[in-house]
Amino acid sequence: MNIANQPLLSLENITKRFKDLTAVNSVSLDVSPGEKLVIIGPSGSGKSTLLRSINMLEQIDEGTIRFEGREVGYVLRHGKRHPDRPQAISALRADIGMVFQHFHLFPHMTVLGNVMEGPLTVQGKPAAEARSIATDMLSKVGLSDKRDVFPATLSGGQKQRVAIARALAMRPKLMLFDEPTSALDPELVGEVFDTIHTLADEGMTMIIVTHHMGFARELADRVIFMESGNFLAEGTPEELFSKAQDNERIRGFLNRLL
């Protein structure tokens, strides 16, 4: 793992509530450049909400988000927290890419058009440059031959790889993966994991939420077990999966999946 002096991402006492439900409960986390962090835990434990909060798709109620050492996402006015300017939020999302459970591709655009969209509309790049970036990203995920087709003609695994290419086209410094294979048939899972492995091998910093424990074991530098909005345990895959035998809650969760 490539450890730099300064975390790429630092979360301090992040709390997110939905009325009476505390989805994320004052969690803190540092992610180093090049680190592969996997978050596991039961459904409803706050994993996806935490990822969405990092990318400003959910507004946090308390805490601080720092990216490259700089506080991001919010400003204080009259003692109250407010989301930062839309331009600043867009810039943050360009640096922090996100891939969801469902693909959210534009059905009326070709595969190439989907991947070009971010560089064109968010970053304001010329069409020729956006097309070049999109072509490179489709090559990276092994879908150069699908550039001119529409999403309806693709398999689920191919759609998810297009979604990854679309996120990569923004040249992010951090990638968030929220259960990227949960909507796929089992035989299509491998091609998406292979793509994520390639990004990991190239040094991409990433946070991955997944229920695939084998994938967590082989890819992660660090694994966090999350439940009821809290970090219950963390460590290397070897540490966490061995310590789990001493924790009845984690052991029960893993026994249902392994």
Side-chain angles (χ1 to χ4, degrees):
M1 183 171 61
N2 178 21
I3 302 294
N5 292 329
Q6 175 179 281
L8 179 66
L9 174 72
S10 184
L11 309 180
E12 183 178 350
N13 300 322
I14 299 298
T15 296
K16 171 62 183 177
R17 303 183 187 91
F18 296 100
K19 296 185 178 179
D20 294 332
L21 171 68
T22 300
V24 178
N25 186 21
S26 192
V27 303
S28 296
L29 173 68
D30 287 342
V31 180
S32 299
E35 185 173 10
K36 286 75 184 170
L37 173 67
V38 174
I39 304 178
I40 63 174
S43 297
S45 60
K47 308 182 300 298
S48 294
T49 299
L50 179 61
L51 287 196
R52 291 173 62 85
S53 298
I54 292 170
N55 210 32
M56 293 295 297
L57 295 173
E58 297 286 357
Q59 294 181 28
I60 59 175
D61 295 297
E62 298 171 16
T64 302
I65 301 171
R66 290 186 174 87
F67 190 73
E68 297 185 313
R70 179 175 58 89
E71 186 171 350
V72 295
Y74 299 91
V75 294
L76 286 178
R77 290 197 294 268
H78 309 298
K80 292 187 177 182
R81 177 196 308 274
H82 298 274
D84 205 345
R85 296 171 295 109
Q87 299 95 316
I89 300 300
S90 293
L92 179 66
R93 288 180 181 152
D95 281 338
I96 304 178
M98 188 161 182
V99 176
F100 302 87
Q101 299 177 30
H102 301 286
F103 325 116
H104 302 304
L105 301 179
F106 297 114
H108 63 288
M109 291 183 180
T110 64
V111 164
L112 184 68
N114 268 274
V115 181
M116 288 176 59
E117 184 67 9
L120 273 177
T121 62
V122 177
Q123 296 177 326
K125 294 186 181 299
E129 184 180 353
R131 184 176 295 105
S132 176
I133 292 169
T135 299
D136 289 345
M137 294 306 104
L138 287 172
S139 176
K140 182 183 288 289
V141 302
L143 289 174
S144 295
D145 60 326
K146 301 294 184 182
R147 53 175 284 166
D148 296 322
V149 306
F150 289 89
T153 69
L154 302 178
S155 70
Q158 290 169 334
K159 289 176 183 176
Q160 191 61 292
R161 286 153 62 199
V162 173
I164 293 172
R166 182 177 58 185
L168 292 175
M170 301 292 285
R171 309 291 195 189
K173 298 172 182 175
L174 169 66
M175 284 286 288
L176 310 176
F177 293 93
D178 184 13
E179 294 280 10
T181 61
S182 66
L184 302 180
D185 293 333
E187 65 269 20
L188 301 176
V189 167
E191 63 187 74
V192 174
F193 280 157
D194 286 346
T195 298
I196 296 173
H197 265 296
T198 298
L199 298 178
D201 291 341
E202 293 174 352
M204 174 65 75
T205 310
M206 54 183 70
I207 305 175
I208 305 166
V209 168
T210 184
H211 283 301
H212 288 267
M213 296 303 102
F215 181 66
R217 281 182 187 271
E218 65 187 40
L219 182 84
D221 296 311
R222 180 165 44 132
V223 181
I224 292 176
F225 183 90
M226 191 171 185
E227 183 175 50
S228 300
N230 298 287
F231 291 165
L232 201 60
E234 68 175 278
T236 66
E238 295 78 11
E239 290 169 344
L240 188 130
F241 288 113
S242 61
K243 281 193 300 188
Q245 303 312 308
D246 301 322
N247 184 304
E248 182 178 352
R249 178 66 191 95
I250 302 177
R251 185 173 68 247
F253 172 80
L254 293 176
N255 286 343
R256 288 195 296 273
L257 296 176
L258 296 174

